[in-house]
Amino acid sequence: MDQLYLPITLILIAAVLIRLPSALRHREARAAWFATLFAVPALLSRGALVPIETLDGWMGGQNLIFLVQCWFATLAFWALGEAAGADGTAERRGLRLHIPLLWCIVYTIPFFFIADRSPTQLFFIDAHVADPAAILCGSLYIIGIVATCVLLLWRLRHRHAPAHWVFRIGAVLVAAGSLLWMLAIIIHHAYDLDRESILWMYLGFDVLFYPGVVVLALALMVFAGQRYIRRITARRRITQLQRVLISRSLAPVDGDDDLSFWIYSLLVQIQDLRTLGTLVPNPDEQKLIETTVAWTERTFPQVKTISEPTS
């Protein structure tokens, strides 16, 4: 896995730069962008570019680099969960970063109670498994990761798009690997075992957790592509609905970056005009309206049901 840190980091850096214009233009794209952004220092703190001993040495050689890694990993997973649970419209509540930041404080406290935190260790908790404070610190960190995965799965319970299924698979793998690692360090500490006797549990963490992270990264890419296609389709349908109104010298309602609300507003405008008798669609226009209503209610479940007039 260590050999993959550098190429994955470079890919993530490229993704951060490529996706920056989209994140600046569209609020709904920012959670995924922040997830990628936070993942970069999380991987860098594993020694992807600069040896971990050098990085930790700059901070005093007390394994503070482990905390840095945990902090950014926690933020990355949280932002990823927010991206996966987004409904495709402009996110109005933001990332709510105060939640993961508070959890970072929770597991940081026992870190400073770990005796003799030097020398620098890539697998810091594993190396200090005899110290109860290390077990508490590592367990609290992992509980935060698992809780984020569970929250992600809960938020996706009614979502069935391809990207959401990829997210589910990644979240299950990460959560399973995390729980296995937490169980391993607790057993290792409680029964004073040598590492070799439960090596399969530590290896199981690698087999589950890291592929899960890769699957989640893949899900972000699928999600971004899916969102791009959805925006193109939405803009095409908006243009078609506007033409229906403009062809009758009727002014279509204006919209903004929230495409779901824009389509909804146009459909409501058309429905109101039909009710008043001002607009009578021809068969092609009627088919367009019906297919747009069905697509909108299926693609943007957060909008209200758009009922068609019977006449």
Side-chain angles (χ1 to χ4, degrees), residues 12-296:
L12 289 174
I13 291 173
V16 168
L17 297 176
I18 292 172
R19 297 292 298 166
L20 178 59
S22 177
L24 292 175
R25 288 195 306 269
H26 310 300
R27 293 189 62 181
E28 72 271 20
R30 292 175 190 172
W33 184 80
F34 273 112
T36 309
L37 179 66
F38 291 139
V40 171
L43 280 172
L44 289 175
S45 63
R46 298 288 292 176
L49 290 178
V50 180
I52 189 174
E53 293 79 9
T54 303
L55 293 172
D56 194 49
W58 293 341
M59 292 180 279
Q62 294 294 311
N63 275 293
L64 287 175
I65 193 65
F66 168 77
L67 269 186
V68 172
Q69 173 198 332
C70 293
W71 291 338
F72 281 108
T74 299
L75 293 173
F77 274 106
W78 178 263
L80 186 140
E82 294 291 280
D87 57 18
T89 61
E91 185 62 63
R92 305 197 185 283
R93 68 184 179 192
L95 281 177
R96 302 180 296 169
L97 285 179
H98 64 282
I99 299 176
L101 288 173
L102 285 173
W103 193 251
C104 287
I105 295 173
V106 168
Y107 63 72
T108 295
I109 295 172
F111 172 84
F112 287 104
F113 286 91
I114 300 174
D116 191 16
R117 296 192 306 272
S118 60
T120 303
Q121 297 279 349
L122 181 60
F123 302 102
F124 172 69
I125 297 296
D126 298 9
H128 293 78
V129 74
D131 193 323
I135 301 300
L136 181 59
C137 174
S139 297
L140 288 172
Y141 162 63
I142 286 298
I143 288 172
I145 299 298
V146 173
T148 301
C149 291
V150 171
L151 179 61
L152 188 156
L153 292 170
W154 174 257
R155 295 183 68 183
L156 296 183
R157 66 192 184 280
H158 299 309
R159 311 286 177 83
H160 303 290
H164 294 141
W165 283 105
V166 181
F167 271 118
R168 285 186 179 94
I169 295 171
V172 169
L173 289 173
V174 168
S178 299
L179 289 172
L180 186 60
W181 180 81
M182 186 173 72
L183 183 61
I185 63 171
I186 292 174
I187 292 176
H188 197 167
H189 171 80
Y191 295 99
D192 194 23
L193 302 173
D194 61 89
R195 183 180 175 85
E196 297 301 320
S197 60
I198 55 171
L199 183 60
W200 67 271
M201 299 182 75
Y202 287 109
L203 293 177
F205 166 75
D206 291 339
V207 171
L208 293 169
F209 183 87
Y210 291 112
V213 171
V214 173
V215 171
L216 287 173
L218 175 63
L220 275 180
M221 293 167 43
V222 175
F223 192 65
Q226 180 179 294
R227 185 173 55 238
Y228 179 72
I229 293 172
R230 184 171 60 229
R231 291 188 67 85
I232 290 178
T233 304
R235 289 194 178 280
R236 177 172 57 84
R237 291 184 179 275
I238 286 171
T239 300
Q240 292 171 333
L241 293 175
Q242 288 174 327
R243 286 173 181 166
V244 172
L245 294 164
I246 292 172
S247 66
R248 293 166 172 79
S249 300
L250 299 170
V253 294
D254 292 330
D256 55 21
D257 193 53
D258 190 340
L259 298 184
S260 67
F261 182 74
W262 195 351
I263 292 180
Y264 175 77
S265 299
L266 285 168
L267 288 170
V268 170
Q269 181 185 14
I270 289 173
Q271 179 179 316
D272 290 344
L273 292 171
R274 293 176 65 181
T275 302
L276 294 172
T278 308
L279 189 156
V280 180
N282 60 41
D284 289 339
E285 292 172 337
Q286 176 62 28
K287 183 178 179 180
L288 167 67
I289 294 168
E290 290 175 352
T291 56
T292 302
V293 167
W295 180 84
T296 302

